[in-house]
Amino acid sequence: MRKASLLFGLITCLSFSQNKQVLYGFSELPQSLLQNPGGQIKNDWYFGIPLLSHIHVNGGSSGISVYDLFAKDGVDFNVKLQNAVNKMKSTDFFIFNQQLEIFSAGFAMGPSYKKKEYLSFGLYQETDFIAYFPKDIAVLALEGNANNINRRFNLNHVNVNAEVISVLHVGYNKKVNSSFTYGVRGKIYSNIINLNSTNNKGVFVTIPGENNFYNHIFNLDLELRTSGLNSITEEDSDFSGKDLVKRTLLGGNLGLGFDIGFTYNLTKQWSLDASLLDVGFVRHSKDIKNYVVDGVYSFEGINPLFPETDTGQTAEDYWNEVGEDFEDLFELDSTATKYTTWRPVKLNASLNYSFGKKQSEDCNCLKEDNGYLNAVGMQLYAINRPKQPQLALTAYYYRRLFNNLRVKATYTIDSYSFNNVGLGISTHLGGFNFYVMADNFLQYKNIYNAQSVSLQLGFNYIFNKK
């Protein structure tokens, strides 16, 4: 049972990250402004098709893949599970991230002959989950404590954060001159559900006992904070779809944040850009329920001798009493204390070089990129996480195949692998735009061995004045 529980946790946590390396810098797509509010603008106005303009799911595990456990290679499953636990570290993580753009739009401002300012706005929903691998807990579950006397099992390996949130945003972009463009974006967060347990401390150790064979000592300082869950999980809950919509539309626990970014053209062919995203917080003050276990507890196990029959206590009563004693050992406090969580800050930066045959200056179709058909560059991505930042480095190649078809290929080194190849395609039919992006193509021949997968797609209507 313990192995099955551990296996279930490993598989269900195989999940997702937030790097959008294919979308970043794909400046003909309006959604790229969410990656850099100071990016170059390629349209006069646009609107996203509601609920379809940006659908994003990508994922990975930094430790193992499903193939590590289920490969038909003749190795016993229990051996694979033991090897997987031994291989992973307490800094390995499982992540899930999903985004759905509910609506979005943008338009250029100013005199028609120069329109150097651009306003964009929208609302999107995001799910973000991260859990670090509880190394010592997994070892204890697999091996038990009989062969680990006097070993200290660290409980700070338990580290998890999950949230479902909606983000209402308004962005401003200004082209100062031919070389420099900057942008800012303000955000109002409405947290729908939050689960946070990232500051745990404590140890579990088994030592020889005085009144029994072993004495189990728990030195605990554990806390789980939740908001938005209690009204959903309570027995008599009347939570409905209307309540979900209300929380999405600024009826949840609120917070504020901002993005900033810029693009600087070093020459006609070289450019530098960077952005800082989700600098912000959420204040949790509604529907709060927190759980705390704090203290030192000792349990010397059970006495194998049954009680005297003349006491009237049956064996079943005895064992029930033992179970209740163990449950009563831990004092679980429940509170409604308000708390604040910080959004995972993200950093993007890239250096880019445009090249290729330059078209006639009369060709409007390429004027926004000075007529160059190709671009290559390097992008750095970082995200702040509870234990340590996660980093990724991407090399890319961008190509305009036709006036209405663009492609971008990426090669990424990150926490999951050193051979992540991605591809993005954007096409136009009149003002209608469709794009699709995915990465880790080298692993598609055996998707179960992939430690990360990603998919983005969307539909927009984009108007470019001729």
Side-chain angles (χ1 to χ4, degrees):
M1 179 65 70
R2 288 178 300 185
K3 293 181 180 180
S5 298
L6 178 60
L7 171 62
F8 179 78
L10 290 174
I11 296 175
T12 55
C13 286
L14 186 61
S15 53
F16 302 77
S17 129
Q18 286 179 283
N19 188 12
K20 297 182 179 180
Q21 68 271 25
V22 186
L23 179 61
Y24 184 83
F26 211 131
S27 51
E28 72 166 284
L29 296 176
Q31 283 72 25
S32 66
L33 280 178
L34 288 173
Q35 301 304 300
N36 181 6
Q40 295 179 332
I41 305 297
K42 307 298 183 179
N43 64 81
D44 287 301
W45 61 265
Y46 91 98
F47 67 88
I49 306 303
L51 300 178
L52 294 176
S53 56
H54 187 64
I55 301 171
H56 170 233
V57 180
N58 85 345
S61 161
S62 68
I64 63 171
S65 67
V66 174
Y67 189 78
D68 292 330
L69 294 174
F70 293 100
K72 294 182 179 180
D73 52 9
V75 179
D76 183 76
F77 174 79
N78 291 326
V79 174
K80 293 179 183 178
L81 186 58
Q82 184 71 61
N83 291 339
V85 171
N86 292 337
K87 172 186 175 182
M88 298 180 72
K89 306 180 294 295
S90 62
T91 52
D92 281 319
F93 52 86
F94 311 97
I95 296 178
F96 173 84
N97 183 261
Q98 162 271 330
Q99 285 187 357
L100 174 66
E101 197 166 66
I102 299 172
F103 70 84
S104 67
F107 57 90
M109 301 184 297
S112 59
Y113 64 91
K114 62 180 182 180
K115 289 190 176 179
K116 293 185 176 181
E117 297 174 291
Y118 195 88
L119 190 70
S120 59
F121 55 92
L123 174 70
Y124 66 87
Q125 173 270 323
E126 179 177 355
T127 301
D128 187 44
F129 167 86
I130 180 169
Y132 287 89
F133 180 64
K135 175 79 173 184
D136 278 10
I137 306 301
V139 171
L140 179 61
L142 276 177
E143 301 178 2
N145 58 348
N147 296 321
N148 288 293
I149 305 303
N150 295 318
R151 174 172 175 173
R152 295 167 62 89
F153 292 93
N154 292 312
L155 302 181
N156 62 359
H157 290 181
V158 178
N159 192 306
V160 60
N161 185 72
E163 65 180 348
V164 181
I165 197 169
S166 69
V167 184
L168 180 66
H169 59 88
V170 178
Y172 172 77
N173 176 287
K174 183 172 183 178
K175 184 177 181 181
V176 178
N177 51 46
S178 60
S179 297
F180 184 68
T181 301
Y182 73 89
V184 296
R185 183 173 304 280
K187 294 182 172 181
I188 300 177
Y189 304 114
S190 180
N191 197 277
I192 301 169
I193 294 174
N194 180 263
L195 185 150
N196 178 274
S197 184
T198 57
N199 296 311
N200 296 310
K201 301 176 184 177
V203 297
F204 166 72
V205 61
T206 300
I207 62 176
E210 296 180 359
N211 300 318
N212 210 328
F213 292 108
Y214 302 117
N215 186 15
H216 312 286
I217 299 175
F218 302 82
N219 187 348
L220 306 179
D221 184 4
L222 308 177
E223 182 179 23
L224 172 63
R225 303 183 298 182
T226 73
S227 71
L229 274 176
N230 189 47
S231 61
I232 299 175
T233 58
E234 61 185 7
E235 292 184 4
D236 299 327
S237 173
D238 58 354
F239 189 84
S240 65
K242 291 182 179 180
D243 297 304
L244 181 61
V245 172
K246 181 180 177 181
R247 290 186 184 183
T248 302
L249 301 176
L250 304 184
N253 289 293
L254 300 180
L256 296 173
F258 68 90
D259 305 339
I260 56 173
F262 73 90
T263 300
Y264 184 70
N265 296 321
L266 303 170
T267 67
K268 287 186 177 182
Q269 291 179 268
W270 284 96
S271 66
L272 174 70
D273 58 61
S275 66
L276 197 63
L277 310 177
D278 277 324
V279 181
F281 68 93
V282 175
R283 180 61 175 170
H284 300 272
S285 58
K286 304 175 184 177
D287 197 14
I288 307 296
K289 193 166 186 179
N290 306 321
Y291 304 91
V292 178
V293 179
D294 188 8
V296 179
Y297 306 92
S298 178
F299 181 68
E300 287 200 84
I302 59 175
N303 190 336
L305 300 178
F306 290 105
E308 298 294 335
T309 57
D310 57 5
T311 63
Q313 187 181 35
T314 66
E316 182 179 359
D317 294 334
Y318 174 72
W319 290 113
N320 287 338
E321 182 178 329
V322 169
E324 291 173 359
D325 289 344
F326 187 78
E327 291 178 359
D328 293 340
L329 176 67
F330 302 103
E331 297 180 5
L332 180 63
D333 293 330
S334 177
T335 72
T337 305
K338 301 176 183 179
Y339 64 96
T340 299
T341 56
W342 293 89
R343 297 285 290 151
V345 179
K346 309 167 193 70
L347 170 69
N348 290 288
S350 72
L351 180 64
N352 316 277
Y353 176 72
S354 300
F355 65 97
K357 185 178 179 180
K358 194 171 184 179
Q359 303 297 307
S360 168
E361 294 297 333
D362 296 330
C363 180
N364 288 329
C365 59
L366 296 176
K367 67 180 181 179
E368 64 268 22
D369 283 334
N370 295 322
Y372 293 105
L373 298 171
N374 308 277
V376 295
M378 297 289 293
Q379 179 210 344
L380 173 67
Y381 168 82
I383 181 172
N384 185 39
R385 287 302 192 181
K387 285 194 175 182
Q388 60 188 23
Q390 296 167 16
L391 306 174
L393 183 64
T394 297
Y396 78 86
Y397 170 68
Y398 173 88
R399 170 73 179 182
R400 290 175 175 267
L401 294 178
F402 307 103
N403 287 344
N404 297 321
L405 181 64
R406 285 79 162 169
V407 298
K408 181 179 180 181
T410 60
Y411 181 90
T412 301
I413 298 173
D414 55 24
S415 303
Y416 311 110
S417 71
F418 293 97
N419 58 355
N420 185 341
V421 175
L423 180 66
I425 299 175
S426 173
T427 183
H428 293 260
L429 182 61
F432 187 76
N433 163 249
F434 169 71
Y435 65 93
V436 60
M437 302 172 177
D439 67 3
N440 217 18
F441 278 98
L442 296 180
Q443 297 294 333
Y444 281 12
K445 60 183 178 181
N446 183 1
I447 192 65
Y448 298 105
N449 198 31
Q451 288 186 249
S452 66
V453 291
S454 173
L455 176 66
Q456 300 177 75
L457 58 90
F459 299 84
N460 300 297
Y461 186 86
I462 301 175
F463 180 79
N464 295 291
K465 186 176 181 181
K466 300 298 184 180

